[in-house]
Every structure is written in structure tokens, then in C-alpha cells.
Amino acid sequence: MKVSIYVRVSSDRQVEKELSVPAQVKAIQQYCLEKGWIIVNEFIEKGKSAKTDDRPEFQKMIALAKRPNRPFDAVVVHKFDRFSRKRDDHVIYKALLNQSGVKVISVTEQTEAETPQDMLLEGMLEVISEFFNANLATEVRKGMTQNAKLGYNNGGTPPYGYRTEHIALGNSKTKAVWVLGPREEIDVVKWIFNQYAHEGIGYTKIASELNRRQIPSQKGGTWASSTIRAIIFNEAYVGRRCWNKQDYQTKGKKWRDRSEWIITENAHPSIISEDIFNKCQENAKKRNTGGGETHKPFDSKLASPFWLRGVMVCEKCGSRMVGNSTSSKMKGGKKQYYVCGGYLRKGKDFCPYAGWNKERIEEIVSNRLRIHIMSLLMGNNLVEEMRQFYTESNQQHTTQKIIMESELEFLKKRIELIEDDISIGKAKPYHQEMLAEMQNELREKSESYLRLTSNWSEFHVPKEYVAGIRYDIHSFISLLDQEVPNPQLLHALASKYISKLYINRDTKKIYLSLQLTMNDKLMYEKTMVSEWK
């Protein structure tokens, strides 16, 4: 039986314990060797929790198992909790694999789930594993909460201007605290707060000035406006430690109410005073009506009207273009533009400013898209366009295949002639040697031909795929034709099918590339050029 092995450790520390990656792999290999099974794939997950299915190697393994030509018949794990510690995930994915004819086998918990008793035992093991995980999470949470109340660090990188230091508490225990970093970093933090509080300088200009002075950021790169904003609103700089601000079950998307935060005053040395920090918060509120919020509630962000955001890129630096609006108080009223994200984050030293009128660029792109995708709906154009693209993309491969087939056929005929001469006694003394050389050449060319054609397949597009594309195209056209289009739905379709969109600043030409893929395979690509007028 051909099998794949799945190995997981949930933290870097576990790598050094008995359930480390090498230990799990060795145990599984030994088990498979005893069973006479062949290991064809290894999926190794480092530092990933089994509480969720958001694991790259795990998802890659599931996707491979669902293929019609799957290369393995079973997944072997060290223990079932390596596969999943969440009962519903375990059941769902195990059932999914079972539908594809793939078993999940544990080395240390050997149940085949073929009898009611085995199914009960396996279910109990899964439930115990999930309980252990949930209970462990609760206990860890308690410890981290107490840690935060005492002002200790619960992990993570300290803010710019601070460093982590471990202090001894006795009984060989240590705790992490934040201490002041290098003098030059402390001076930079003070300068940033002073510029924002007293000089009226904004995030972008502060970042640009630091980059001009070639002062490295925390990670050694350039400064961005978002980095400056994070510093201005970070209460750590007044010596205050805030923990439990975000709900990590939502991966940090949901912010908790401030009443739920664990706030510790004087947890570490402060760099700036409370007065200058508060002055910065007041200035932020004045500069931007929403800028002074300590955090924004979950899903409170208004839907963006810019449906080409992130799809369009800056021709000069490659950054994604983002939506930007001028103030309604300015002359001429509020105007909207697509602006280089690199410019907004890092300033004009990183990329010269270039904004494009939102209404105009969306109008040009809509007209160009509408014309082209409508033509794909006519008759069998969609399939024929994909067939032509496939043929052109594989033209060199096809030519090479035809040449090799001719060479193989020629060699076979020559070998047959020599073998005939030998069989009737007409062969010369050197014919036997020639035959051996030609047979060796035929073998080598046959192997080359096999390698060339192993990944080769004739053009084939499932009807379901074509139907899905046609449905999306109909939806796209319908949205573009609406008097007031829905920017969220348009953005979803544009992100799915537009692979490239940029404007050449010198020629004012707009380049729009449409792309269709199937199972990560490029099926069709077309680049259209329009004029900016």
C-alpha cells in the first residue's frame, strides 16, 4: 500500500522534545517498514496548531488526496491529535478522505474503525484529545493573564526603542520584561512624538524624513506612514502595558472593549510623557475624524467604493494602487483617486506621487472589459479561445514531440532491417555491433520521449468549469451595466480575473490583462491596451 505521512509540531519548543519532527518521522517510517507500506509523500507542519484546519501542508495533503489520480491510499500519523485536535474537523476531514478511498492511520493508537468497538475507541481518543487541547488553552490563558497583570511580557517583539530582557525569579524561573533600547532609538521615538505633537508634521512626512536621513526602521528597512501611526498610538511609550486587546480567535480582526484589556501602569520605563502622548491623540482627532480612535470595532469599517483597489498596480514601483479621497471642503468638492500605496506609506522619496481619477479609470476599464468578455460569450468562443491559447503556449512542446516521434519511428525501422539481415544470414560482421548501438540509442530516445510526454495532456476543459466562467462573465456584465454598480461584488470578480492593470505614465496607455486558471493551471490570458484620454 502506498501511504503519505503527516507530521506536525505546534511550537518550536516541541521540536526539541520527544514528539519532534525527526522522532515522529522515524516512528512512522519504522511502522510502515514493518507493514511493507511504501511512503510516497511527506507532509511536515512546523509550528502549527491542530485546533484549526488552517495549515498549509495539511490542506495540500487533503487536496492531493481528492484528486482522481491520487498517489497514496492512506495517511499515517504518529497520533490522531497530530491530524486534528478539534472533533468536528477530525470527523469532517476523515470522512472527506474516506470518500476518496483514503484511510487515516495512527502509529500509536492503532484502530482500523472497522468494528463498532474500534469506532467507539477512536472516537473516545479524539474527544480526549480535544478536551486536552481546550483545557490546556484555558490554563495557558490563566497564566498569561496573571503574567500581564504583573507587567511581564507574554511574548512578541517589543516596540521600537525597547528590548526584551529576562530576569531571574528563583527556582530557575525567569520572566521577560521590556527595557530601554539603544540611545539613538530612544531619541528617534522622542523626535517622532515631538514632530507630531508640536510641529504639526504628519505620518508620511515624518517617515520620509527618517528615510532621507537613512535611519533604519525596527526591521532594518524603510519607514512607512503606518509604522509612524502605530508608534503615535502605542501606549507602551508612556510605560503602560496593554494586553488582551484583540480576540485572537478571529486572528486579531476583532478588538475587545477596553474594559476587557489587562492594563498595567509603570510596567517598564517610559520614553515620553503622558502630556505629549495625549497631545498627539488630540492632534490625530483634529487631522482625521476617525484617526484618533484607539481601535475600530470589528466589521465597523465602511465598504470601499474603489473596486479596482489592489488590482491596479503602480507602473513605477509595483505597489498596489489604493483608493484615496480629497476633503469635501476643498475647492471643487470631494474628489476620488487611485493612488500608489507605496507613496502613501513611505512618501515621495520611495515613489513619485501619481494619482489617477477614479471615475475615469473605472469607466475606461469597464468599457474595455465589457467589450472583450461579451465576445467570449458568443457561441463557443470561450472554449475556442482557451484551445488556441493552449495550442500556442505548447507549440514548442508539440513540435519537439513530433520530431522525437519521427526519430523513434526511423530508428525502429532501421533496427528491423538489420535484424532481418541477421536472421537470413546476409549480415556483415559489424552489423551486430551496429544493432547494439542502435538499440541503445532507441532506449535512450524512448526514455527522453517518456519524460517529455509524462506531463503532457490533450486539451480538455470540463463543462462545469466552462459553465462557471460563463456565469461569472454574465454577472460581471450585469454589474458593469448597473446605474450604481456594487463595488464589493465588482472587486471580487476583478480580483479573480484581472491579473494585471497599470498605466504607463509616459505614454498614458492602460494595460489590462485578463486571466483564466483551472487548478492553478493557466488556461487563457489576454492583454488589452487602451488610451488614457
Side-chain angles (χ1 to χ4, degrees), residues 187-207:
D187 291 341
V188 167
V189 172
K190 290 181 177 179
W191 179 83
I192 289 172
F193 276 94
N194 183 68
Q195 291 292 297
Y196 196 82
H198 302 303
E199 303 299 329
I201 309 299
Y203 309 137
T204 302
K205 288 186 177 180
I206 292 174

Side-chain angles (χ1 to χ4, degrees), residues 211 325 388 399 413 439 493:
N211 290 332
S325 303
Q388 184 178 345
T399 303
K413 287 181 178 178
Q439 287 175 333
L493 287 170

Side-chain angles (χ1 to χ4, degrees), residues 6 17 74 116 121 179 247 259 305 316 338 370 451 461 528:
Y6 179 73
K17 296 182 179 179
L121 175 58
V179 297
D247 184 350
S259 62
K316 181 172 178 63
Y338 282 98
R370 188 184 289 106
R451 286 194 298 270
V461 182
M528 297 158 275

Side-chain angles (χ1 to χ4, degrees), residues 145-409:
T145 300
Q146 184 61 25
N147 222 34
K149 287 180 179 179
L150 296 173
Y152 298 129
N153 183 31
N154 275 325
T157 305
Y160 180 83
Y162 287 100
R163 295 292 186 272
T164 299
E165 189 174 281
H166 290 82
I167 58 174
L169 296 180
N171 296 325
S172 301
K173 291 185 177 180
T174 61
K175 291 288 184 180
V177 294
W178 288 347
V179 297
L180 293 175
R183 182 75 248 176
E184 54 269 23
E185 288 189 14
I186 296 172
D187 291 341
V188 167
V189 172
K190 290 181 177 179
W191 179 83
I192 289 172
F193 276 94
N194 183 68
Q195 291 292 297
Y196 196 82
H198 302 303
E199 303 299 329
I201 309 299
Y203 309 137
T204 302
K205 288 186 177 180
I206 292 174
S208 296
E209 180 59 22
L210 290 171
N211 290 332
R212 189 189 67 78
R213 296 184 188 182
Q214 296 186 332
I215 296 174
S217 66
Q218 186 168 22
K219 294 183 179 180
T222 55
W223 293 82
S225 57
S226 58
T227 309
I228 303 301
R229 186 190 187 284
I231 288 176
I232 293 297
F233 285 100
N234 195 338
E235 298 179 59
Y237 291 109
V238 292
R240 188 176 300 134
R241 175 67 60 83
C242 299
W243 186 74
N244 199 43
K245 293 191 293 184
Q246 294 167 294
D247 184 350
Y248 293 99
Q249 294 297 321
T250 63
K251 299 183 179 179
K253 291 181 181 178
K254 185 176 180 179
W255 287 75
R256 301 180 189 277
D257 186 80
R258 191 176 177 89
S259 62
E260 298 181 66
W261 296 8
I262 307 298
I263 301 174
T264 307
E265 300 288 348
N266 303 314
H268 50 264
S270 62
I271 293 180
I272 52 111
S273 68
E274 189 83 34
D275 290 340
I276 195 171
F277 181 81
N278 292 335
K279 176 67 175 173
C280 286
Q281 311 315 302
E282 291 173 11
N283 287 355
K285 289 180 181 179
K286 292 176 184 177
R287 295 175 71 95
N288 188 332
T289 54
E293 295 180 75
T294 306
H295 68 278
K296 292 183 180 291
F298 185 48
D299 282 349
S300 66
K301 189 176 179 180
L302 294 175
S304 171
F306 297 86
W307 63 272
L308 291 176
R309 67 188 186 280
V311 176
M312 186 177 177
V313 298
C314 174
E315 175 258 343
K316 181 172 178 63
C317 69
S319 299
R320 297 188 181 278
M321 304 291 278
V322 297
N324 193 39
S325 303
T326 61
S327 172
S328 57
K329 297 179 181 179
M330 293 181 67
K331 186 178 179 180
K334 183 177 180 179
K335 294 182 180 179
Q336 295 178 315
Y337 298 90
Y338 282 98
V339 183
C340 171
Y343 165 81
L344 286 179
R345 293 191 305 273
K346 301 181 180 180
K348 62 182 179 182
D349 292 335
F350 177 80
C351 183
Y353 173 79
W356 303 98
N357 182 274
K358 172 187 181 293
E359 186 177 346
R360 183 62 185 138
I361 184 62
E362 288 181 357
E363 180 186 9
I364 295 173
V365 171
S366 295
N367 291 338
R368 202 73 177 89
L369 267 176
R370 188 184 289 106
I371 292 170
H372 184 70
I373 62 179
M374 282 182 70
S375 70
L376 293 177
L377 290 178
M378 295 179 181
N380 202 36
N381 278 5
L382 178 59
V383 175
E384 290 306 315
E385 287 282 350
M386 286 192 285
R387 188 191 305 279
Q388 184 178 345
F389 178 81
Y390 184 86
T391 302
E392 291 174 356
S393 301
N394 293 278
Q395 189 170 6
Q396 184 178 355
H397 190 283
T398 305
T399 303
Q400 190 177 356
K401 180 172 175 282
I402 293 172
I403 291 172
M404 291 188 72
E405 285 173 348
S406 299
E407 291 176 348
L408 286 170
E409 189 62 28

